[in-house]
Amino acid sequence: MRIAGTVRVVVAAAACGVLLTSCASGSDDSAKKGGARADHGKGPQAGAADARRIPDVGDRLQSKIPEESRQVVAVYGDGEDSAKSTVVLYTKSGPKDTTWEKARSWPAHNGKKGWTTDHRENDKRSPVGVFTLTDAGGVLADPGAKFPYTKSSSMQAPHYWPKTHWHDFDYVIAIDYNRAKGTPPNDPTRPQGQAKGGSIWLHMDHGSGTSGCVSLSKPAMEYLLRTLDPKQHPVVVMGDRANLEA
């Protein structure tokens, strides 16, 4: 039995190349680095009309947020074919609280070709949907994560990628899309098959689009790792604005 926050050291070098390539790619540096300034203000309660809902998320995805969830990472993509997005953390103050509050927000990137409701291996688009968050890891030591954290050099980005990408996987939070929960982020298991892709992560930003992951600044990743708590049943709600609002 694993205890949240315990560092797990694994060796998965054989599978590393395939997994990392599916998550981010060193082949596209066309976009300039965006600002990494976070919105540290508490902000208003989520949604002026109904604070019991995540803002700008329609009934289809809103209904998939588990009732017990008290932490939601919302990824608002600029457009269906855009690699730019904004990540907002919403929280509930207690188990009986029914309203969401905006805690932090950060600029981010997603798949270099945008978003899709039918993600496929190497389509360079991020999957739209609501996914649980259960496991974390990275090349660097555990910064104080509440998730089970796997420190492993097997997550190191290949050095034949541009230098700007070498630290992409210093910190990683696995998004539970087509993966086995309770395993390190780079576990190769694909319950829905290889064709449906996998290794969709929150990870560190290199200033442009990814191969399907969502990337944020190092301070943002450290904050999320120290804040997201399995006891709060965190999920990510992600997609372009049109699909989110549907």
Side-chain angles (χ1 to χ4, degrees):
M1 178 177 182
R2 297 175 309 140
I3 299 175
T6 301
V7 177
R8 303 169 301 186
V9 180
V10 299
V11 178
C16 179
V18 174
L19 292 172
L20 297 187
T21 302
S22 70
C23 185
S25 169
S27 62
D28 179 37
D29 267 328
S30 58
K32 298 292 184 181
K33 281 195 173 183
R37 181 176 297 175
D39 174 5
H40 298 298
K42 286 293 182 182
Q45 286 187 340
D50 188 350
R52 295 170 298 177
R53 297 171 62 92
I54 300 299
D56 302 316
V57 176
D59 291 343
R60 180 174 62 88
L61 294 181
Q62 197 88 41
S63 65
K64 295 182 179 181
I65 299 173
E67 289 186 11
E68 65 269 25
S69 292
R70 295 190 291 276
Q71 293 177 324
V72 168
V73 178
V75 185
Y76 297 98
D78 282 8
E80 188 175 15
D81 299 319
S82 173
K84 293 183 178 181
S85 53
T86 300
V87 169
V88 183
L89 174 63
Y90 294 102
T91 63
K92 289 181 179 179
S93 59
K96 295 184 179 180
D97 190 3
T98 60
T99 61
W100 292 101
E101 292 186 355
K102 176 183 174 183
R104 295 284 182 97
S105 68
W106 305 271
H109 288 94
N110 50 266
K112 63 186 67 176
K113 290 188 177 181
W115 297 89
T116 179
T117 56
D118 185 22
H119 178 67
R120 297 288 173 175
E121 183 81 359
N122 296 322
D123 66 6
K124 304 298 188 286
R125 291 180 178 270
S126 297
V128 175
V130 177
F131 308 102
T132 54
L133 301 170
T134 55
D135 301 279
V139 178
L140 298 181
D142 184 352
K146 291 182 170 64
F147 289 126
Y149 186 94
T150 300
K151 178 183 181 297
S152 176
S153 60
S154 68
M155 295 186 202
Q156 175 67 57
H159 278 201
Y160 57 79
W161 289 4
K163 275 190 174 182
T164 51
H165 296 60
W166 287 3
H167 296 284
D168 281 11
F169 313 125
D170 281 359
Y171 292 130
V172 168
I173 298 172
I175 294 172
D176 293 335
Y177 169 85
N178 196 21
R179 70 177 300 269
K181 297 180 185 180
T183 64
N186 60 346
D187 184 280
T189 305
R190 299 284 182 270
Q192 299 176 57
Q194 194 69 26
K196 289 292 291 180
S199 294
I200 305 296
W201 300 341
L202 298 171
H203 66 67
M204 285 172 50
D205 191 59
H206 54 248
S208 62
T210 71
S211 286
C213 295
V214 174
S215 59
L216 303 96
S217 66
K218 183 177 182 180
M221 286 299 300
E222 289 175 333
Y223 182 86
L224 289 174
L225 282 165
R226 293 166 181 161
T227 302
L228 295 176
D229 185 347
K231 294 178 181 178
Q232 307 302 317
H233 306 283
V235 298
V236 59
V237 181
M238 53 194 283
D240 58 282
R241 291 189 178 271
N243 271 307
L244 286 177
E245 293 172 358

